[in-house]
């Protein structure tokens, strides 16, 4: 705690509430589709609108995803939890209430761990609860009027609430990234932030070190990590300005404007009692038997931390390399396939961190979109290991495969004449010629100058048009110079 960074003498305190859209095909209490991008109001059914005579039924798949999340973060899965109505008026909520969980959420406690500033950091979770999303107001296309699209109404969300554990915007961003990676890894959320599948509310306050927590303001609906960083940065300066002007920070809900980079109060914050929470009479308590939890546990994928640990132990990767290989489940699977196919973990990891990541980053693609299959990468690595191509040659082959200019490693090597010289007779002829033509360097080498030797190797490489194996060329040169 004593190591918290201070800004203008203040400590920043942040708690995040994240809405992760659960990847079910249908809504949380109805059979309507959750597909993104449908024409407005074609996917909201009578249940989503709570029309008289309809009854909600909880979606098993949504509950199962909540259980999966709870197990992954080491939380308690409540054997019995309650769906409650949260009552408020808003045009995109024609029911007049949102079904959520209040007093007894399905996931209780737990923690999310991630690397931050060279250390392992754990953020404690308060809870995660199931709830339905509201509709959406569309202000853009209606010449001054607002349209309402209710397709999103009833979409399943898991709201994941942290303790006020974070002490900087950067730390909040790292937490959000780790949480994002985790829900995608678990297959419970598609993680698409542009489409709103993962959005954060940031609760921010400041205090003098050692003082009790200050009053917080809640920044709503941040749907990118950059916005999260910018919004918290702005908010912290705003709150400190206020306090230094002798004014109080009032509890409020604020919106971030990405165009100006500013936060602005939307309303003074309502308290829980304003929502008149009460158990939804249409939904029985959510009962989760221990057998159900065990079934979900048995079907869980290996978690990123465990997998990274395995890559260090079994493959000899460094902690940093192992963390990079487990940046997503797809990346880890790619690494494992390439490793198994070429039999060299370190080289597979190096290629993935080097050429592959460089290309993916430059092109803004994810590993699922890599044009090169793990088996092709493995074959290329094999051709470096068996001396067929040099590292430089291998990079050329890689570029050709990546850009679709060829699909078969050996064919590309042959077509582009990248095969290293393995014929020792041909190499020997070149070495002899180089020795004969560079008497000065030979003399200098014999006088003990290492640089002269490197120059001779360079000449051999040049004469072979880069096809000589440098190690082999060096060896041959050395033995000839010694015996000569
Ligand atoms: P509410 O019920 O009004 O949403 P909660 O107690 O559930 O309030 O807290 C909501 C979020 O605000 C949590 O993530 C919590 O960690 C965070 N939080 C609470 N107090 C503070 C504070 N003083 N500064 C920053 N964040 C806070
Ligand atoms: Mg809350």
């Amino acid at each position: 705690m004593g190591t918290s960074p201070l800004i203008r003498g203040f400590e920043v305190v942040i708690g995040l509430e994240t809405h992760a859209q659960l990847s079910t095909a249908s809504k949380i209490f109805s059979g309507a589709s959750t597909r993104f991008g449908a024409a407005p109001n074609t996917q909201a059914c009578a249940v989503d609108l709570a029309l008289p005579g309809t009854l909600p039924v909880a979606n098993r798949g949504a509950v199962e995803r909540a259980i999966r999340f709870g197990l992954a973060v080491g939380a308690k899965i409540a054997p019995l939890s309650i769906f409650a109505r949260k009552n408020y008026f808003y045009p995109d909520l024609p029911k007049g209430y949102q079904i959520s969980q209040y007093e007894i959420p399905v996931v209780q406690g737990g923690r999310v761990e991630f690397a931050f500033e060279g250390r392992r950091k754990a953020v404690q979770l308060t809870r995660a609860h199931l709830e339905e999303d509201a509709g959406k107001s569309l202000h853009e296309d209606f010449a001054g009027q607002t349209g309402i699209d209710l397709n999103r109404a009833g979409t399943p969300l898991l709201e994941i609430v942290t303790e006020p554990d974070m002490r900087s915007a950067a730390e909040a961003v790292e937490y959000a990234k780790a949480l994002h990676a985790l829900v995608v890894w678990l297959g419970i959320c598609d993680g698409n932030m542009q489409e709103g599948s993962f959005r954060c509310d940031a609760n921010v306050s400041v205090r003098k070190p050692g003082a009790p927590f200050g009053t917080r303001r809640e920044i709503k609906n941040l749907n990118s990590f950059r916005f999260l960083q910018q919004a918290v940065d702005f908010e912290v300066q705003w709150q400190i300005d206020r306090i230094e002007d002798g004014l109080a920070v009032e509890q409020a809900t604020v919106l971030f404007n990405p165009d100006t980079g500013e936060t602005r109060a939307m309303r003074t914050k309502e308290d829980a009692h304003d929502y008149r929470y009460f158990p939804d009479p249409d939904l029985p308590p959510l009962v989760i038997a221990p057998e159900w939890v065990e079934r979900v546990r048995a079907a869980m994928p290996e978690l990123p931390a465990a997998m990274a640990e395995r890559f260090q132990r079994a493959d000899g990767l460094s902690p940093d390399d192992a963390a990079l290989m487990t940046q997503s489940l797809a990346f880890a699977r790619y690494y494992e396939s390439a490793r198994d196919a070429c039999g060299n973990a370190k080289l597979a990891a190096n290629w993935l961190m080097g050429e592959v990541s460089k290309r993916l980053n430059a092109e803004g693609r994810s590993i699922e979109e890599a044009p090169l299959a793990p088996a092709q990468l493995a074959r290329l690595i094999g051709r470096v290991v068996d001396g067929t191509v040099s590292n430089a040659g291998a990079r050329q082959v890689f570029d050709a495969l990546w850009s679709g200019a060829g699909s078969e490693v050996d064919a590309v090597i042959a077509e582009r004449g990248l095969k290293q010289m393995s014929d020792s007779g041909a190499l020997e002829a070149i070495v002899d010629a180089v020795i004969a033509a560079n008497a000065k360097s030979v003399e200098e080498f014999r006088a003990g100058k290492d640089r002269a030797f490197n120059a001779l190797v360079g000449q051999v490489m040049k004469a072979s048009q880069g096809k000589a194996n440098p190690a082999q060329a060096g060896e041959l040169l050395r033995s000839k110079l010694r015996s000569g």
Side-chain angles (χ1 to χ4, degrees):
M1 287 273 159
T3 59
S4 296
L6 296 187
I7 295 184
R8 293 160 65 190
F10 285 85
E11 183 182 52
V12 177
V13 174
I14 304 166
L16 289 192
E17 298 169 274
T18 303
H19 290 92
Q21 182 180 319
L22 298 174
S23 55
T24 55
S26 61
K27 293 189 177 172
I28 184 167
F29 300 117
S30 81
S33 169
T34 55
R35 197 169 55 83
F36 182 84
N41 299 309
T42 55
Q43 282 175 185
C45 75
V47 173
D48 304 332
L49 309 183
L51 295 186
T54 62
L55 285 173
V57 177
N59 180 334
R60 253 185 113 70
V63 177
E64 205 148 290
R65 283 165 177 76
I67 298 173
R68 196 181 268 221
F69 176 78
L71 291 175
V73 297
K76 176 185 169 197
I77 310 299
L80 183 151
S81 61
I82 304 288
F83 286 112
R85 290 187 182 179
K86 179 179 182 178
N87 300 279
Y88 64 94
F89 175 80
Y90 207 72
D92 65 18
L93 189 75
K95 291 157 70 163
Y97 63 88
Q98 175 194 28
I99 305 176
S100 182
Q101 296 192 302
Y102 180 54
E103 277 171 332
I104 311 179
V106 61
V107 172
Q108 302 173 1
R111 68 212 316 249
V112 172
E113 289 184 24
F114 53 96
F116 182 62
E117 292 181 342
R119 282 201 229 127
R120 230 35 224 161
K121 166 85 192 182
V123 165
Q124 298 298 324
L125 300 183
T126 315
R127 58 190 278 158
H129 61 256
L130 285 163
E131 63 182 29
E132 60 178 344
D133 210 343
K136 204 165 144 190
S137 302
L138 304 167
H139 306 292
E140 296 87 19
D141 308 328
F142 300 95
Q145 292 183 302
T146 292
I148 305 284
D149 177 8
L150 294 170
N151 283 353
R152 216 176 59 184
T155 295
L157 302 178
L158 190 65
E159 178 174 339
I160 302 152
V161 184
T162 76
E163 292 293 299
D165 275 0
M166 288 153 279
R167 294 292 175 269
S168 69
E171 191 179 337
V173 167
E174 287 314 305
Y175 159 79
K177 285 184 176 171
L179 181 65
H180 182 266
L182 181 63
V183 295
V184 173
W185 185 288
L186 292 171
I188 64 174
C189 172
D190 68 19
N192 189 324
M193 296 178 80
Q194 284 91 30
E195 292 178 4
S197 297
F198 186 93
R199 36 194 213 264
C200 296
D201 302 341
N203 294 270
V204 181
S205 65
V206 298
R207 65 171 172 186
K208 287 285 183 185
F213 282 151
T215 303
R216 74 182 192 270
R217 304 210 311 163
E218 178 175 1
I219 315 165
K220 280 290 194 195
N221 266 333
L222 298 163
N223 70 345
S224 87
F225 299 122
R226 191 161 54 89
F227 292 166
L228 172 59
Q229 170 88 42
Q230 288 175 347
V232 172
D233 283 342
F234 180 87
E235 181 61 26
V236 166
Q237 298 294 343
W238 185 91
Q239 291 188 14
I240 295 174
D241 285 348
R242 263 291 308 160
I243 293 167
E244 291 190 336
D245 287 347
L247 300 165
V249 172
E250 267 181 82
Q251 191 166 326
T253 302
V254 308
L255 285 183
F256 173 68
N257 181 341
D259 297 326
T260 60
E262 298 180 356
T263 53
R264 201 159 45 84
M266 173 164 85
R267 51 175 192 253
T268 56
K269 166 90 176 150
E270 45 292 277
D271 284 313
H273 62 249
D274 295 320
Y275 288 121
R276 298 290 190 269
Y277 279 102
F278 64 89
D280 192 312
D282 288 344
L283 283 157
L286 175 61
V287 175
I288 298 175
E291 300 77 55
W292 192 5
V293 176
E294 288 321 306
R295 270 204 309 281
V296 175
R297 195 194 304 277
M300 290 272 281
E302 185 182 22
L303 296 178
M307 198 182 273
E309 207 273 318
R310 176 162 64 79
F311 290 166
Q312 290 177 56
R313 186 171 25 82
D315 297 354
L317 298 191
S318 72
D320 283 351
D321 293 2
L324 280 164
M325 291 309 111
T326 52
Q327 60 189 266
S328 74
L329 189 55
F331 205 95
R333 295 251 185 279
Y334 193 109
Y335 160 71
E336 289 197 298
S337 308
R339 175 202 64 196
D340 292 348
C342 78
N344 189 321
K346 188 64 196 159
L347 283 180
N350 282 348
W351 274 87
L352 275 164
M353 287 180 296
E355 298 305 307
V356 174
S357 292
K358 217 186 292 168
R359 285 295 199 132
L360 293 176
N361 293 339
E363 294 165 15
R365 300 204 220 193
S366 68
I367 191 81
E368 292 97 319
E369 301 161 312
L372 202 69
Q376 285 174 294
L377 182 66
R379 182 179 286 277
L380 179 56
I381 292 170
R383 288 297 178 243
V384 176
V385 171
D386 71 15
T388 305
V389 285
S390 65
N391 277 316
R395 275 196 295 277
Q396 288 185 50
V397 178
F398 177 86
D399 286 345
L401 294 169
W402 190 278
S403 56
S407 60
E408 226 285 299
V409 171
D410 288 335
V412 172
I413 293 173
E415 276 160 26
R416 313 215 159 194
L418 293 168
K419 204 165 184 307
Q420 288 193 120
M421 200 169 282
S422 56
D423 174 355
S424 54
L427 184 60
E428 202 170 340
I430 292 176
V431 168
D432 288 342
V434 165
I435 290 176
N438 293 276
K440 190 154 170 272
S441 295
V442 170
E443 219 168 281
E444 283 174 5
F445 169 76
R446 294 215 166 105
K449 284 198 188 150
D450 276 352
R451 215 177 312 137
F453 181 72
N454 293 337
L456 289 167
V457 175
Q459 288 298 322
V460 173
M461 293 308 293
K462 197 170 149 200
S464 73
Q465 289 163 323
K467 287 175 207 158
N469 178 323
Q472 205 185 337
E475 221 168 276
L476 197 57
L477 253 175
R478 208 178 278 280
S479 76
K480 292 221 170 222
L481 289 169
R482 286 227 180 84
S483 62

